[in-house]
Amino acid sequence: MKMNLNELKERCQNCTKCGLCEGRTNVVFGYGKEDADIMLIGEGPGENEDLQGMPFVGRSGQLLDKFLAAVDLSREKNVYIANMVKCRPPKNRDPKPEEQEICINWLREQFKVIRPKIVVCVGRISAQKLINPSFKVTQEHGQFIDKNGTLFMGTYHPAAILRNPNNKEAAFQDWLALREKIKELGIEI
Ligand code: URA
C-alpha cells in the first residue's frame, strides 16, 4: 500500500534508526506540495529548523526563498523541500555518511510519493550523495544530469553564499537555468 506524505511523516517522527535522534527537538521531515514537480534537497536541519520542525527557516532559508521567488517558485505553491538527514547534527556538523545512508530511506519514500521531475541538490552534501560522490559545487553547479528519467542539478548552499557573497550571482544563474529547464520541458508550475 502506497502511503501519503502525512502517513510517512508520522512514521518518521518516531524514527530512532541513528544517533541523531538523541539530540533532536523535532524531526524535520520536509515541507511543500505533495504533487510538486520540483524537489529541493538540503543537508540537514540547523538550530531554527530543529526548533520549528520545518526545513530552511533560518537565514539560509530566507535567501533560498528569495531565489525561489525570483523564478516563480515557492514551497507554498510548487516546490517540495527536504533534507538528506531529518534530524539536526550536533553543532551543525556535516551529517556522517552512515547517518545519510540510514536516513536516505525516508527520502526514497518521499521521492516515491512526490515523483519530482527535477531535483535540486542544495549544497555539496546532497549533490555528492544523490548525483556523484566527487561532485564539486564550484565546477559542476547548474548542470542537469538525467538519472532514470529524473533531472538532478546541484547548486550552492545558501549558507555558503552568506559566508561568501561572491558566489551569489553564480547561484542565481543556477536558479535561472532551473526556470529555463522548467519551460523547456513544458512543466506547468
Ligand atoms: N540548511 C540545510 O541544509 N537545511 C535546512 O533545512 C536548513 C539549513
Side-chain angles (χ1 to χ4, degrees):
M1 189 192 75
K2 194 172 137 186
M3 265 182 285
N4 67 31
L5 275 187
N6 278 337
E7 289 164 335
L8 257 186
K9 183 175 176 178
E10 260 177 47
R11 284 180 46 209
C12 187
Q13 313 278 9
N14 299 317
C15 182
T16 54
K17 292 194 174 108
C18 86
L20 292 181
C21 68
E22 285 158 25
R24 76 179 174 222
T25 314
N26 286 296
V27 170
V28 180
F29 179 70
Y31 183 84
K33 302 291 286 186
E34 180 151 348
D35 61 355
D37 286 327
I38 318 297
M39 190 163 169
L40 272 48
I41 316 290
E43 179 177 321
E47 185 181 15
N48 293 300
E49 290 77 19
D50 172 66
L51 290 173
Q52 295 182 42
M54 293 269 282
F56 282 102
V57 288
R59 279 184 73 218
S60 291
Q62 287 166 17
L63 179 54
L64 185 65
D65 284 338
K66 279 191 193 161
F67 281 132
L68 289 174
V71 292
D72 303 319
L73 298 173
S74 88
R75 56 178 99 194
E76 309 299 338
K77 265 191 347 209
N78 44 23
V79 158
Y80 189 87
I81 306 180
N83 281 307
M84 277 315 306
V85 296
K86 310 295 192 231
C87 299
R88 183 189 182 198
K91 299 187 184 145
N92 296 343
R93 67 157 166 76
D94 288 350
K96 294 179 184 165
E98 59 269 28
E99 292 160 349
Q100 293 184 49
E101 195 50 38
I102 291 169
C103 208
I104 202 169
N105 290 312
W106 292 114
L107 193 57
R108 288 203 182 102
E109 295 300 318
Q110 287 173 302
F111 275 130
K112 278 192 220 161
V113 176
I114 299 164
R115 296 167 54 85
K117 297 194 168 93
I118 303 180
V119 173
V120 179
C121 296
V122 181
R124 171 182 56 89
I125 296 285
S126 58
Q128 290 188 340
K129 187 72 186 167
L130 301 177
I131 301 176
N132 171 357
S134 60
F135 190 93
K136 293 217 170 25
V137 176
T138 48
Q139 289 167 23
E140 295 167 76
H141 68 95
Q143 297 173 15
F144 290 87
I145 292 128
D146 189 324
K147 289 192 133 191
N148 302 319
T150 306
L151 288 181
F152 284 73
M153 185 266 271
T155 188
Y156 290 88
H157 195 289
I161 300 170
L162 291 170
R163 277 195 304 273
N164 181 0
N166 289 335
N167 293 327
K168 193 168 182 178
E169 182 53 35
F172 186 48
Q173 292 302 322
D174 294 347
W175 295 103
L176 291 177
L178 172 64
R179 185 79 185 96
E180 280 309 303
K181 188 58 80 179
I182 289 168
K183 276 194 197 146
E184 186 188 314
L185 298 180
I187 297 173
E188 304 245 348
I189 53 167

